[in-house]
Amino acid sequence: MMKKYFTTPIYYVNDIPHIGHAYCTLATDTLVRYWRKKLGKENVFFLTGTDENSQKTVDAAKLAGKPIPEYLEGMAKIWRTTFEKIGIEFDDFIRTTEERHLKKVHELFTKIHEGGDIYKGKYTGKYCHGCETFLKESELDEEGNCPDHKKPPVDLEEENYFFRLSKYEKPLLELYEKNPSFLEPESRRNEILNFIKSGLEDISISRETSEFGISLPIDENHKVYVWFDALINYLSGLPDGEKSEFWGEAVHIIGKDITRFHCVIWPAMLLAAGIKPYKQVFAHGFFTIDGQKMSKSLGNVVSPVELAEKYGNDALRVGLIGSFEFGHDGDFSLSHFDGFYNSKLAGGVGNLFNRVVVLIHKFLDGKKPEEGEREEDVLTKFNQALEKQELQRAINIFFEYVGSANQLLNETEVWKLVKEDLEASKKVFATLLQKLEILAEMAEVILPETAPRMRKMLGNAEKVGEPEILFERK
Ligand code: MSP
């Protein structure tokens, strides 16, 4: 049986999850649900987790006035329970402070070292703590700041261990050449290919000054560079790691901000360790909130939990994923979200299910008429969209189908027809019920908490169930 392995980035724990993190994790969870439905739960593995061995952790723990382990326990728990609360069903949650991770980091480091691709050297450069990376002069903005963090990088001179990334220029280009879908979407692939072609420099992969992290297996005084450490989570969080039958099928879902780490450094590390690289990286875009960049200073950071508490997990999921194309940048508008909720969920799909079931109770005593024709092509299109990771399109197909069912209901005025021509009205009801069946099936993927409630309303082979309100109007 085919296997699928999906991962999200592992998240920094210097802050609590915001809606950007929820977006990435919900999108991945939605793809995972599709594949679980198709292949069976046991054939899909979904990993998420937290990236803890960072200077950010040290600073945040200090700020919170807590010892690091206590701080980490609390934060990891917040991330894990937040994801659980908003309806994410991961198979495992990896923390980079766990023993299993440390072991894997040491194992990989040793393999790469033994292969001759790690050496000691001096490095002077400009380091951005926000990115946890050295930046080239040419990458800074006019004021000499990191373009992402709007802060000047600090001058660092360190004696470090280096990874021979430069050696992997050609092997990486060959890898990309052979695997057209190694990085999607196309725009990101081109960006990375240009970056590789412009020449790769060796990168420093240890820190002598780090207060916290994993020590090198070959030098107690150095800590493993946080990105070198973090990327390895994709192996340490998978039972049996690279020997697992899931590994060859790994799809890393990430944001576009971290493609260089994932699509240049990570495959080079794997090649250097003699491990077959993952199957694909898919880099989604970034979104603004009502047209503005989300930031603490602007005070527009949206909590996924608050939204989910008000509107429900499923609304959060489709509202976010449906707002813009997966793989592109977009905007999430809070005011549109409210409108979307009321028109598409409460007034759209919720109202449709309720009306049909109420009418069948009222006029047919709850009895289901003969089966109508099943419109498989809609389901096929929906499934194809998900296989191509076109999440927004899948959601659009669902809501267009809701629209077509509502149209049928209104155009036939079945509540009048039933009094004039019972047989004709039964045909309409049968068609409507088939449409609802298909909607309930699609809902298993995009509205997973609503789907069982829909099924309950659709009842058994003979009778429909009790009507309920799927989405309360706000
Ligand atoms: N710890 C690293 C990743 C290591 S993976 C081996 C990291 N963590 S992070 O906490 O900063 O989260 C990064 C991810 O959160 C991004 O790649 C992206 O998926 C998501 N997003 C954060 N803000 C976002 C938006 N405004 N919009 C969309 N996604 C956003 O980087």
Side-chain angles (χ1 to χ4, degrees):
M1 186 46 129
M2 187 184 183
K3 307 277 174 199
K4 282 274 171 188
Y5 174 34
F6 282 95
T7 66
T8 69
I10 47 170
Y11 301 96
Y12 289 128
V13 287
N14 56 320
D15 211 344
I16 59 172
H18 63 55
I19 202 161
H21 309 123
Y23 173 75
C24 186
T25 319
L26 279 170
T28 312
D29 182 79
T30 305
L31 294 170
V32 164
R33 283 175 194 269
Y34 170 74
W35 286 104
R36 278 188 187 143
K37 192 157 147 21
K38 179 165 173 169
L39 306 176
K41 223 170 176 277
E42 66 287 1
N43 293 310
V44 184
F45 198 85
F46 175 17
L47 181 73
T48 188
T50 42
D51 188 352
E52 306 184 4
N53 297 317
S54 156
Q55 184 60 35
K56 294 175 199 287
T57 295
V58 182
D59 299 342
K62 257 186 210 147
L63 202 69
K66 285 187 184 161
I68 293 175
E70 189 190 319
Y71 175 79
L72 284 176
E73 275 309 308
M75 289 308 285
K77 196 162 168 212
I78 289 178
W79 279 82
R80 194 185 168 112
T81 52
T82 299
F83 287 163
E84 283 167 348
K85 247 189 235 161
I86 64 170
I88 285 155
E89 270 184 26
F90 45 81
D91 288 297
D92 207 343
F93 189 96
I94 178 89
R95 296 180 53 192
T96 54
T97 46
E98 287 173 72
E99 186 65 23
R100 57 173 170 161
H101 180 68
L102 179 139
K103 272 197 187 145
K104 199 72 191 175
V105 171
H106 277 183
E107 188 189 311
L108 221 77
F109 191 100
T110 306
K111 270 193 200 165
I112 300 176
H113 183 241
E114 284 172 0
D117 285 335
I118 289 174
Y119 64 91
K120 206 169 183 182
K122 221 187 196 103
Y123 197 87
T124 324
K126 298 204 172 289
Y127 195 82
C128 171
H129 281 292
C131 301
E132 289 283 19
T133 190
F134 281 104
L135 295 173
K136 290 185 195 157
E137 290 282 352
S138 60
E139 287 174 313
L140 308 180
D141 66 13
E142 292 116 53
E143 279 121 58
N145 290 334
C146 160
D148 284 343
H149 294 91
K150 306 282 173 227
K151 276 190 200 147
V154 291
D155 288 315
L156 271 193
E157 189 192 280
E158 283 195 358
E159 193 174 49
N160 292 329
Y161 288 87
F162 282 77
F163 170 53
R164 239 180 264 286
L165 183 63
S166 58
K167 182 176 149 189
Y168 289 92
E169 220 171 282
K170 245 182 101 192
L172 284 176
L173 290 174
E174 278 166 19
L175 194 61
Y176 274 84
E177 181 81 26
K178 270 196 230 132
N179 302 284
S181 61
F182 195 58
L183 167 57
E184 283 186 359
E186 185 80 22
S187 55
R188 298 273 101 83
R189 181 183 164 90
N190 294 336
E191 237 171 61
I192 287 295
L193 280 175
N194 287 336
F195 179 74
I196 300 174
K197 284 179 192 156
S198 76
L200 298 178
E201 287 173 20
D202 293 350
I203 56 160
S204 102
I205 53 159
S206 77
R207 298 285 179 270
E208 203 171 9
T209 49
S210 280
E211 294 169 62
F212 185 66
I214 298 178
S215 299
L216 301 199
I218 54 166
D219 189 338
E220 269 293 304
N221 297 323
H222 281 253
K223 299 273 190 282
V224 179
Y225 168 49
V226 57
W227 269 103
F228 194 90
D229 149 349
L231 290 161
I232 298 172
N233 90 86
Y234 301 130
L235 287 176
S236 59
L238 186 64
D240 295 332
E242 68 276 19
K243 290 182 212 83
S244 159
E245 41 187 355
F246 287 97
W247 174 246
E249 296 301 323
V251 176
H252 301 314
I253 307 288
I254 61 167
K256 65 171 186 178
D257 54 329
I258 52 180
T259 44
R260 280 192 197 172
F261 299 106
H262 282 81
C263 309
V264 181
I265 300 179
W266 180 223
M269 283 166 66
L270 290 163
L271 290 175
I275 297 169
K276 186 176 178 273
Y278 53 82
K279 185 159 195 163
Q280 182 180 64
V281 165
F282 186 94
H284 65 73
F286 263 50
F287 60 91
T288 46
I289 299 287
D290 289 309
Q292 276 186 311
K293 197 175 167 192
M294 210 178 352
S295 84
K296 269 193 171 170
S297 49
L298 284 173
N300 65 346
V301 178
V302 179
S303 149
V305 176
E306 270 172 37
L307 270 190
E309 275 168 0
K310 178 160 177 204
Y311 295 95
N313 286 342
D314 283 353
L316 173 71
R317 181 185 296 256
V318 289
L320 261 180
I321 301 174
S323 284
F324 57 96
E325 210 179 315
F326 195 48
H328 290 239
D329 288 339
D331 185 56
F332 179 66
S333 155
L334 284 173
S335 50
H336 283 179
F337 180 60
D338 196 72
F340 160 84
Y341 178 87
N342 282 315
S343 70
K344 299 274 188 183
L345 291 171
V349 63
N351 190 39
L352 170 71
F353 268 76
N354 188 272
R355 269 171 91 195
V356 172
V357 172
V358 164
L359 287 172
I360 293 178
H361 272 290
K362 183 163 173 192
F363 294 114
L364 307 179
D365 215 13
K367 287 203 193 76
K368 283 184 172 174
E370 286 282 294
E371 269 183 31
E373 210 182 310
R374 210 173 133 88
E375 287 159 320
E376 289 295 345
D377 57 318
V378 181
L379 213 48
T380 308
K381 271 198 226 153
F382 177 80
N383 291 343
Q384 278 168 350
L386 286 158
E387 300 216 354
K388 289 199 253 166
Q389 285 160 189
E390 295 172 347
L391 286 169
Q392 188 195 33
R393 199 162 82 85
I395 289 171
N396 288 344
I397 291 170
F398 176 86
F399 284 111
E400 277 160 24
Y401 201 53
V402 171
S404 83
N406 260 325
Q407 198 181 354
L408 176 69
L409 186 57
N410 293 333
E411 277 174 3
T412 55
E413 296 188 302
V414 66
W415 56 94
K416 284 187 194 156
L417 186 66
V418 73
K419 293 175 201 153
E420 295 150 12
D421 185 344
L422 183 64
E423 281 317 301
S425 79
K426 278 187 176 173
K427 279 210 175 106
V428 176
F429 278 122
T431 308
L432 283 168
L433 280 174
Q434 280 310 322
K435 284 183 189 282
L436 299 195
E437 287 285 347
I438 287 183
L439 286 170
E441 201 160 328
M442 295 195 260
E444 279 174 25
V445 178
I446 57 169
L447 298 167
E449 292 184 5
T450 312
R453 298 169 63 206
M454 289 172 160
R455 293 255 180 243
K456 219 169 139 213
M457 273 167 93
L458 290 173
N460 55 29
E462 276 103 55
K463 290 193 87 174
V464 291
E466 286 310 305
E468 59 158 316
I469 307 288
L470 293 176
F471 298 95
E472 209 69 62
R473 260 182 199 284
K474 301 283 171 210

